[in-house]
Amino acid sequence: MSEVDNESDVVGHRRRKLAALRDLGGAYPNAFRREDTAADLHARHGDAAKDALEAASVRAVVAGRVMLRRVMGKASFLTLEDPSGRIQCYLRRDEVGAETYQEFKDLWDIGDIIGVEGTLMKTNKGELTVQAGAVHLLAKSLKPLPEKYHGLVDQETRYRQRYLDLMVNEESREVFRVRARLIALMRRFFDERGYLEVETPMMHPIPGGATARPFVTHHNTLGVDLYLRVAPELYLKRLVIGGFERVYEINRCFRNEGLSPRHNPEFTTVEFYQAFADYRDLMDLTEELLGSLLDEIAGGRVLRFGDDELDFRQFARRTMSEAVGDATGKTPSEVADPEALAALARGLNIAVEPHWQWGRLLMEVFEARVEESLVQPTFITQYPAEVSPLARRSAADPRLTDRFELFVAGREVANGFSELNDPDEQAERFRAQAALKNRGDLEAMHYDQDFVTALEYGMPPTAGEGIGVDRLAMLLTNRTTIRDVVLFPQMRPAGSEEAT
RNA sequence: GGGUCGUUAGCUCAGUCGGUAGAGCAGCGGGCUUUUAACCCGUUGGUCCUGGGUUCGAGCCCCAGACGGCCCA
């Protein structure tokens, strides 16, 4: 322990108190058992009349962290917080004993974890309170809590020391309760529909399933580099080939890209696959899923998000070409013309690469001009094949695929398509991606022979989709920063030199 | 990567024209047996993010850097 030199006065005082507590027989006992929670006591007795409650002499045994203290000479009030909420406790010297009361006054602090056994009462102001018969210090807190009224505001500290944020900011706790509920509801949704929950590898010998830069790691015994997965897609499709015709996975993906209010290098998706279905079935399913999530969590299908009111009662569906045409005022034939699109892209300050074809140009213009304007839930369909190397081509136009993405509040929330199950065409698409990679495109896909081999055994016609869980959580908790919905967001190490 | 704003006591924040740093809460000492952001009296506490520079003098001005927020790419 080398912190003695630089510890603050507060910590010094508390360490002395801790030493005194140790002398008295221990400051970290583990024998106390809570019998009642704050919320439960409020629910059962919050409405009771003062006299009736005292006449009933209801025993209560609570435990939690001391959040507030109002100390008088011979009696004190404490506000105790447990995971369910807060409950006030009342300590009278004459009831807990002079020795204990003195110990409480001298050695206990805000932030300590304590247990209180006593009887329920109501104060003159009508607040339900545990009148203590016995009190126990259960864990000494050596560090001062953030300010009792303003809480912890500093965003950097809230992210770096999330436990402090959770300790003092109820809104922050609520965000993560909603997130947990969201995930539980999604599990139930897929389980009820016969999808099998599976876990596929996080470490891939060949990164695949999305166009994104991967993290690289190394397996010592095998002597090979492995990639943290950018998507589980190719493994989930192998499972469909194996006969698990409905599968889903809720877990982390990793992408080696910048940090932003919308991007954390590790993020959570739910990805699901269903044989004998196409992308339209998945759009219907997505509407059903989001609708039911909103019903359960937001209590209805209209959601307040920032200044917007998002209406999930109806989802728009438009093709990418239509959306680009509307946003740019171009005619369908202009949108279908690579030269016109290239000119449009340059006009938007997009660094157009000479090898980009029509599809890539359309996608780039879409991302630059349309994406952010899609506030109400909107499916954009018919993505170009050039930017969709795993998706099935549209029967009507081979330049397009039966793919969609869902946008809400200007953010991509879901991406799904009818799967490409022709092994020869998949091989061809991989070759095109590999060619891009050779040109230096760090996000292009690798050629995955093992996956092509799997396809050669025959994959039933299938549709698959991924939904960004963090982004859903942001929508449902009205947060504009992914860091607010990730418990421990990635941060630059404090005070480090910048890596080159 | 660029722009911009921020970083001051444990926390939340002030800090005038460049003149030697403050408040509230927390802490410490005292008082108070129904308080509730308890209250009353007294009081401790500072690497003003870091490193340079300008100046008689820098929390404040200039330069570089770190970390964070926001905007853009």
Side-chain angles (χ1 to χ4, degrees), chain A residues 135-359:
Chain A
V135 291
H136 311 271
L137 184 80
L138 306 179
K140 184 67 191 161
S141 169
L142 294 173
K143 302 279 198 185
L145 249 48
E147 210 259 350
K148 64 186 177 187
Y149 185 61
H150 299 93
L152 181 66
V153 173
D154 183 74
Q155 292 207 47
E156 189 172 349
T157 310
R158 288 183 47 223
Y159 298 145
R160 289 191 194 274
Q161 293 178 272
R162 180 68 86 183
Y163 50 90
L164 282 179
D165 180 38
L166 295 171
M167 220 180 269
V168 299
N169 293 328
E170 161 63 19
E171 323 83 68
S172 191
R173 290 196 293 270
E174 184 58 16
V175 165
F176 293 102
R177 285 192 211 105
V178 168
R179 184 184 169 115
R181 197 137 163 262
L182 164 71
I183 291 171
L185 287 166
M186 286 195 307
R187 278 214 164 83
R188 195 177 78 190
F189 182 90
F190 288 109
D191 289 343
E192 280 172 350
R193 285 162 181 75
Y195 292 77
L196 183 71
E197 181 170 11
V198 297
E199 295 168 274
T200 65
M202 295 275 179
M203 296 193 291
H204 293 181
I206 299 171
T211 49
R213 257 183 104 166
F215 287 95
V216 190
T217 185
H218 186 77
H219 191 291
N220 291 335
T221 307
L222 296 178
V224 296
D225 282 344
L226 293 169
Y227 301 87
L228 300 187
R229 71 179 186 191
V230 294
E233 170 155 356
L234 300 183
Y235 285 91
L236 291 170
K237 285 198 270 202
R238 284 173 171 94
L239 297 177
V240 175
I241 292 166
F244 287 142
E245 293 188 350
R246 289 184 174 210
V247 291
Y248 76 100
E249 177 164 12
I250 301 177
N251 220 319
R252 228 67 64 79
C253 295
F254 308 84
R255 295 186 185 175
N256 206 340
E257 54 196 19
L259 296 88
S260 86
R262 296 174 190 200
H263 299 92
N264 196 57
E266 53 182 302
F267 60 99
T268 302
T269 63
V270 53
E271 218 170 277
F272 48 100
Y273 289 80
Q274 176 178 352
F276 307 108
D278 67 19
Y279 75 116
R280 283 175 301 231
D281 298 315
L282 291 190
M283 285 194 282
D284 293 343
L285 189 73
T286 303
E287 292 189 13
E288 202 182 324
L289 170 63
L290 295 197
S292 71
L293 291 174
L294 260 84
D295 287 344
E296 295 277 350
I297 291 173
R301 301 201 173 184
V302 178
L303 186 67
R304 179 125 225 122
F305 185 74
D307 295 330
D308 295 313
E309 209 160 69
L310 304 175
D311 188 347
F312 288 83
R313 289 172 300 190
Q314 55 210 4
F315 292 51
R317 296 186 183 188
R318 335 189 43 216
T319 69
M320 183 177 283
S321 292
E322 286 167 359
V324 167
D326 287 356
T328 59
K330 300 297 177 189
T331 64
S333 62
E334 286 171 322
V335 173
D337 173 26
E339 296 305 320
L341 272 183
L344 201 53
R346 283 190 210 97
L348 294 167
N349 286 324
I350 296 167
V352 176
E353 303 270 345
H355 63 275
W356 288 1
Q357 296 172 358
W358 171 79

Side-chain angles (χ1 to χ4, degrees), chain A residues 492 496-500:
Chain A
R492 205 182 288 271
S496 74
E497 298 296 310
E498 189 173 7
T500 47

Side-chain angles (χ1 to χ4, degrees), chain A residues 43-175:
Chain A
R44 281 190 290 144
H45 304 286
D47 294 333
K50 183 173 164 70
D51 294 348
L53 189 60
E54 275 155 39
S57 186
V58 182
R59 175 183 150 83
V61 181
V62 296
R65 192 181 295 275
V66 178
M67 302 306 286
L68 296 170
R69 237 160 62 108
R70 294 173 287 278
V71 180
M72 293 168 284
K74 302 186 185 64
S76 297
F77 288 90
L78 299 179
T79 300
L80 211 66
E81 185 161 303
D82 71 22
S84 76
R86 292 183 170 195
I87 184 91
Q88 178 169 264
C89 300
Y90 181 43
L91 274 70
R92 295 200 321 162
R93 188 191 65 182
D94 294 349
E95 206 148 351
V96 299
E99 205 171 304
T100 300
Y101 193 73
Q102 197 60 38
E103 184 183 319
F104 154 76
K105 282 212 295 182
D106 292 344
L107 303 180
W108 297 20
D109 289 293
I110 286 178
D112 291 350
I113 313 283
I114 70 167
V116 177
E117 314 174 46
T119 311
L120 289 180
M121 58 167 269
K122 280 255 173 118
T123 65
N124 292 336
K125 291 282 174 60
E127 177 158 353
L128 186 67
T129 300
V130 178
Q131 182 161 352
V135 291
H136 311 271
L137 184 80
L138 306 179
K140 184 67 191 161
S141 169
L142 294 173
K143 302 279 198 185
L145 249 48
E147 210 259 350
K148 64 186 177 187
Y149 185 61
H150 299 93
L152 181 66
V153 173
D154 183 74
Q155 292 207 47
E156 189 172 349
T157 310
R158 288 183 47 223
Y159 298 145
R160 289 191 194 274
Q161 293 178 272
R162 180 68 86 183
Y163 50 90
L164 282 179
D165 180 38
L166 295 171
M167 220 180 269
V168 299
N169 293 328
E170 161 63 19
E171 323 83 68
S172 191
R173 290 196 293 270
E174 184 58 16
V175 165

